[in-house]
Amino acid sequence: MRISGERGFTFLELFVTIAILGIVSAFATVKLNSFVAHNQLEKAAWKVLKDLSLARPMALKNDCPVIIKFCCSNQLQIHLDDNKDGVAQSGELQQTITLDAPISFGLPSTAPGVAPSGATLPGAGTMAGGNWHANGLTVLNDAIGKINSGSVYLKSARLSKVAYCISASSSAQNLKLFKWNGSSWSQL
């Protein structure tokens, strides 16, 4: 109730305003968290693509094959195959790259039933498909830096319907990045 001549807000008006602000900020926080998770996953996918792309010049520079192993759910290891036996050995390890949590290799819980064009879906409980599952990504030190075909997938523990796939086919000889948006793959 207002007394004539006084200005201000009633308790009820303040309470309703604060309640509306609380509801709006709750929705904004949820959207912001989702945006951050999408951004982290996309950034990680581009970083892994860049790291894999650097294997070709590394093989040519060092005149030996480069083998990249996806050794656990959040690490990849880059090996210079000095003895050219096609096997990644601990003495040949050049670099270990660890993905920041909650990003890891593999498919999300709502995994797509199809792979992107030229890629292979990994088997149950694995991170990489095609030849990359058993042997890792191998880049030869020949004139074109030939790579074996395969694919690796990245996911976030915070996103159930989004994944990225980095793939190479032996015919195309280049790496491609794809995004799964919950219903289809699109090449980036």
Side-chain angles (χ1 to χ4, degrees), residues 12-45:
L12 183 59
E13 290 171 331
L14 288 173
F15 181 74
V16 169
T17 303
I18 291 171
I20 290 171
L21 284 173
I23 292 169
V24 169
S25 65
F27 282 115
T29 301
V30 169
K31 286 292 187 187
L32 181 63
N33 287 340
S34 176
F35 173 76
V36 169
H38 276 88
N39 193 28
Q40 285 176 328
L41 181 57
E42 183 172 355
K43 183 178 172 184

Side-chain angles (χ1 to χ4, degrees), residues 102-104 155-160:
I103 311 300
S104 62
K155 64 179 180 176
S156 171
R158 295 181 187 158
L159 302 170
S160 62

Side-chain angles (χ1 to χ4, degrees), residues 119-137:
T120 308
L121 284 176
T126 63
M127 308 164 271
N131 293 329
W132 294 7
H133 170 62
N135 307 320
L137 166 64

Side-chain angles (χ1 to χ4, degrees), residues 2-156:
R2 293 186 188 205
I3 302 173
S4 66
E6 288 189 31
R7 292 186 166 174
F9 297 103
T10 65
F11 176 73
L12 183 59
E13 290 171 331
L14 288 173
F15 181 74
V16 169
T17 303
I18 291 171
I20 290 171
L21 284 173
I23 292 169
V24 169
S25 65
F27 282 115
T29 301
V30 169
K31 286 292 187 187
L32 181 63
N33 287 340
S34 176
F35 173 76
V36 169
H38 276 88
N39 193 28
Q40 285 176 328
L41 181 57
E42 183 172 355
K43 183 178 172 184
W46 283 107
K47 182 180 180 334
V48 170
L49 178 66
K50 180 188 86 129
D51 292 336
L52 297 181
S53 297
L54 292 175
R56 181 172 280 148
M58 183 185 287
L60 296 173
K61 177 184 174 192
N62 294 292
D63 195 29
C64 64
V66 172
I67 301 172
I68 300 176
K69 300 291 282 186
F70 305 98
C71 52
C72 63
S73 67
N74 70 336
Q75 285 187 340
L76 63 93
Q77 294 179 338
I78 302 173
H79 298 262
L80 276 177
D81 190 16
D82 294 328
N83 59 8
K84 301 178 183 175
D85 64 354
V87 178
Q89 298 165 358
S90 61
E92 299 171 332
L93 179 63
Q94 292 295 305
Q95 184 178 8
T96 299
I97 298 170
T98 303
L99 301 174
D100 294 332
I103 311 300
S104 62
F105 292 113
L107 286 172
S109 57
T110 55
V114 296
S117 175
T120 308
L121 284 176
T126 63
M127 308 164 271
N131 293 329
W132 294 7
H133 170 62
N135 307 320
L137 166 64
T138 302
V139 180
L140 299 179
N141 57 320
D142 59 5
I144 60 170
K146 185 176 180 180
I147 56 179
N148 62 335
S149 60
S151 50
V152 66
Y153 295 80
L154 287 94
K155 64 179 180 176
S156 171

